[in-house]
Amino acid sequence: MNRREPMAPIQGLKKPTLPPPTPRPRTLASVPSPTPDPAEPLAEESATAEEGTAAGTPAQRSEPPENIEGQKAPRPRRSRAEKTSTAARTSGASASADTMKPVSVSVPFTLAEAWRDRAKKDRASQVDVLLDAIVAHQGELDELVAASTEKPTMSDGLFDRGPGTKGERYVGVSLRIKARNLDVIDRLAEKHGPVKRSPFVAAVLTAYLA
């Protein structure tokens, strides 16, 4: 095996020398603090806007969805003043109809006694007895009123005179009756007479208590 002989040095060729390293400065310049990212305020404003939307500000509240077909639309809510006005009218109408009115009817004394006794027997008020009498004879009110108002005459040969009323005494009976019921009694008296309230009451009670 052949061995390579070492190469002879080339004359005039010098080994290059490297410059010494630059000395490192002892102090470092301070690095300026980073400036805030201009996009951050925008992020905060966006977050604030989102919070306002979540809180339901009037400008950002979404409109309620339209009603689904087939469902009833919600009724418009009335103001408190409208509700109060409606309630006052309703209560005023019902109060006027249910108002108890004091009245007095004039009937014969014997009829007043029988009327009072029947109320005690039935354990009811005299008003209830009167209403029961009208209901019981509502189909014959014309005949009852006509019979009670007929006044036969008697002739003395020269004049026609009415029958004597000696010993017949009328008394007033005080009642408290609902306004609507009193209106019905007055309408019936006008329709089937026409007579006033007291003769109508007397005619109906006479038939009922007989």
Side-chain angles (χ1 to χ4, degrees):
M1 184 174 181
N2 297 330
R3 294 182 179 180
R4 292 184 182 182
E5 296 181 359
M7 296 180 62
I10 302 172
Q11 295 181 357
L13 183 60
K14 295 183 180 181
K15 185 178 182 181
T17 58
L18 296 175
T22 305
R24 186 176 182 181
R26 295 181 179 180
T27 59
L28 299 176
S30 60
V31 180
S33 60
T35 59
D37 190 352
E40 292 181 356
L42 297 178
E44 294 178 359
E45 294 177 0
S46 177
T48 304
E50 292 177 358
E51 292 176 359
T53 303
T57 55
Q60 296 175 352
R61 287 180 180 171
S62 60
E63 295 295 332
E66 296 182 356
N67 294 326
I68 302 175
E69 185 176 358
Q71 293 183 355
K72 294 183 179 179
R75 296 182 180 178
R77 303 184 68 180
R78 296 182 298 173
S79 62
R80 181 176 298 178
E82 292 176 349
K83 293 181 180 179
T84 304
S85 178
T86 303
R89 290 196 300 269
T90 304
S91 61
S94 60
S96 61
D98 293 337
T99 300
M100 304 298 290
K101 286 190 174 182
V103 296
S104 178
V105 293
S106 179
V107 297
F109 175 77
T110 54
L111 181 61
E113 291 289 326
W115 186 4
R116 185 176 63 250
D117 293 342
R118 181 61 178 268
K120 291 180 179 180
K121 178 181 177 182
D122 294 346
R123 295 183 179 181
S125 66
Q126 289 182 271
V127 172
D128 290 332
V129 174
L130 172 60
L131 299 182
D132 291 341
I134 295 174
V135 172
H137 296 281
Q138 58 181 337
E140 49 184 345
L141 293 177
D142 288 335
E143 294 80 0
L144 294 180
V145 174
S148 66
T149 56
E150 288 181 357
K151 293 182 179 180
T153 58
M154 298 179 61
S155 176
D156 58 2
L158 183 62
F159 300 102
D160 290 337
R161 300 176 182 271
T165 58
K166 184 177 180 181
E168 186 177 18
R169 181 165 58 96
Y170 279 74
V171 296
V173 179
S174 298
L175 306 172
R176 286 182 60 84
I177 186 170
K178 287 184 178 181
R180 69 174 73 185
N181 292 339
L182 187 61
D183 291 340
V184 172
I185 293 174
D186 290 342
R187 286 198 301 268
L188 291 175
E190 179 65 26
K191 177 181 178 181
H192 298 284
V195 292
K196 294 183 180 180
R197 183 186 302 155
S198 291
F200 176 78
V201 170
V204 176
L205 286 175
T206 299
Y208 184 69
L209 299 176

